[in-house]
Amino acid sequence: MPTAASKLRVFLFGCGIGESIVMEFGGRFGVIDSFRHNGLVPALALLQQMGATGLDFLGLTHPHEDHYSGMGEIFDYFATRDGVGEFW
C-alpha cells in the first residue's frame, strides 16, 4: 500500500504522433492509452525500464488508433507476469 510519503509520477508521451500516459505511485503502475510509433511502444519501454511487473489499471479514452495501437503489446507483456488489475 502506498504511504503518505509516496509521490505520484506521471509520464506523458506522444504529443502529435499518439497519446499515452503512464502513472506510478508507490511502486504501483497504471496506463491510459498507448500508441505504437516506428515499431515501438514508448509506454511499455518505460514500464520495463522502471521494473514494473504488473499494472493496477489499463485504460482507453477512445477508439482512435493513435490511442490504442500499443495496448495489445502492453496487455500481452503484463498478462504473462503479474497481470492487469482493471480495464477502463
Side-chain angles (χ1 to χ4, degrees):
M1 184 74 177
T3 67
S6 299
K7 295 184 185 201
L8 173 66
R9 297 192 306 167
V10 178
F11 303 87
L12 306 172
F13 296 94
C15 301
I17 58 171
E19 303 297 331
S20 195
I21 301 169
V22 173
M23 293 185 233
E24 186 267 331
F25 184 79
R28 299 173 72 173
F29 299 89
V31 176
I32 300 173
D33 293 344
S34 181
F35 68 98
R36 172 186 297 282
H37 182 68
N38 292 333
L40 301 174
V41 179
L44 180 56
L46 174 66
L47 289 161
Q48 291 169 327
Q49 181 181 17
M50 295 172 74
T53 59
L55 294 178
D56 280 87
F57 66 86
L58 182 59
L60 178 64
T61 59
H62 63 282
H64 287 164
E65 188 173 7
D66 62 333
H67 290 256
Y68 72 74
S69 61
M71 295 290 249
E73 193 167 331
I74 287 179
F75 177 82
D76 289 346
Y77 179 83
F78 288 104
T80 60
R81 288 162 178 80
D82 291 338
V84 177
E86 296 182 14
F87 296 94
W88 306 342

